[in-house]
Amino acid sequence: MTPRPHRIAIAPSGFKESLSAARVAEAIATGVRRVIPDADLDLIPLVDGGEGTAEALALAGGGRLVPVTATGPVGDPVASHFALLGGGTTPGPLTAVVEMAAVAGLALVPPDRRHPGATTTYGVGELIRAALDAGARRILVGCGDSGTSDGGAGALQALGARLTDRHGRELRPGGGALHELEHIDPSGLDPRLADAELLVACNPYNVLCGKRGVARVFGPQKGATPAEVELLSAGLERLAAVLTRDLAPAFGATALDLRTAPGTGASGGLGAGLASVGARLLPRYDVLLGGLDLDARLARADFVITAEGALDHQTVRGKIPAEVARRAQAAGVPVLVLAGTIGPGAQDVRAVGVDAYSAILPAPMTLVEAIGRSGEFLADASERAMRIMALGTRLAPVAPLAA
């Protein structure tokens, strides 16, 4: 009897500023096939609300991307987009997907301008308005890979709210000005928001304020100094208070604690800003993975390979490899993680179901070279991992130590 081919599920995230999730899955498949040419591979590229989300959901849902020129995170116009799903073939209101990374992502902030005190989510509000103009009345906002820390203030301004200081002057862009916020005037907000369903797919671990507030956790990654982190934190505290007083009551959003509710810190606090105008903050994987039948596909596999750009202490806090491992563990399927880099806390992933992990870089190199050759390195790393696994299956059981 001919044995059946090995069934391998390949369910990675994208590598930021480098490879989409689909290209990561293809590179891993290339390496696997060098060792097991007849493997039965199930490629399941996954998104977490960050880069590539709108395109992935458009492809999965029979939709299309709509190009839009909008305000980028440093204030310059950028070529962006949102997705419309299904068109007239899908029952219910027309759904749009707004990917905040496509207009306010870290990849759009030049390295010499990575200053989260000045970057803005204004373009996110412009994309929401463009989606409303296109007829969408159900708007899903994907949060992730942001280059901002303004609590969604810019998005609210683009939607028509006036954020002013104690002199009545409009607040300048960026989280660095939020500590000056005195009042929010909601009278100019786009009236269509009241009739639209606004959903935010976010990491529930991210909160706006407190010891684990978004400025303290992610501010340094976006270029903030320790002093700037404290300024941003104070500004977000002020924003939460004024949103709760001036804006949330108009949208019936007073029951949510904008400081500490799950997801309020998503994308530099965009979650809190949108929640104040009635958006529902939802665990991102509940929203984004619903149509993939992921649990059943993982359960059919003999083992699973997932991947992300960096494996570290943040991975267990809602990153794709941790989510894949959690689901695979429930089905009793082993999991291998391939990562661009392995940092402090990587070993914590074993607690969520990861059986093994490995870095893909073969030698020290510059970031530019690592990004430029990431597909090649990923295929090679997959091949190495598969050859080690093949060797392991041929070893005889090890005798126990003598008493």
Side-chain angles (χ1 to χ4, degrees), residues 13-113:
S13 70
F15 282 22
K16 294 177 179 59
E17 303 182 60
S18 176
L19 298 175
S20 68
R23 290 184 62 196
V24 170
E26 290 163 2
I28 293 172
T30 296
V32 170
R33 289 194 178 104
R34 291 174 187 168
V35 184
I36 312 175
D38 64 342
D40 179 5
L41 304 183
D42 184 9
L43 274 58
I44 318 171
L46 301 176
V47 291
D48 62 2
E51 293 176 11
T53 293
E55 181 179 11
L57 294 188
L59 289 172
R64 61 187 176 91
L65 291 182
V66 179
V68 179
T69 299
T71 303
V74 297
D76 300 329
V78 297
S80 188
H81 58 262
F82 65 91
L84 286 176
L85 304 185
T89 63
T90 302
L94 185 62
T95 296
V97 180
V98 169
E99 173 192 320
M100 82 84 60
V103 72
L106 187 61
L108 297 174
V109 184
D112 61 347
R113 299 179 71 178

Side-chain angles (χ1 to χ4, degrees), residues 308-320:
E308 73 169 339
L311 194 73
D312 55 28
H313 66 282
Q314 291 187 17
T315 301
V316 296
R317 296 178 61 82
K319 296 295 184 72
I320 280 176

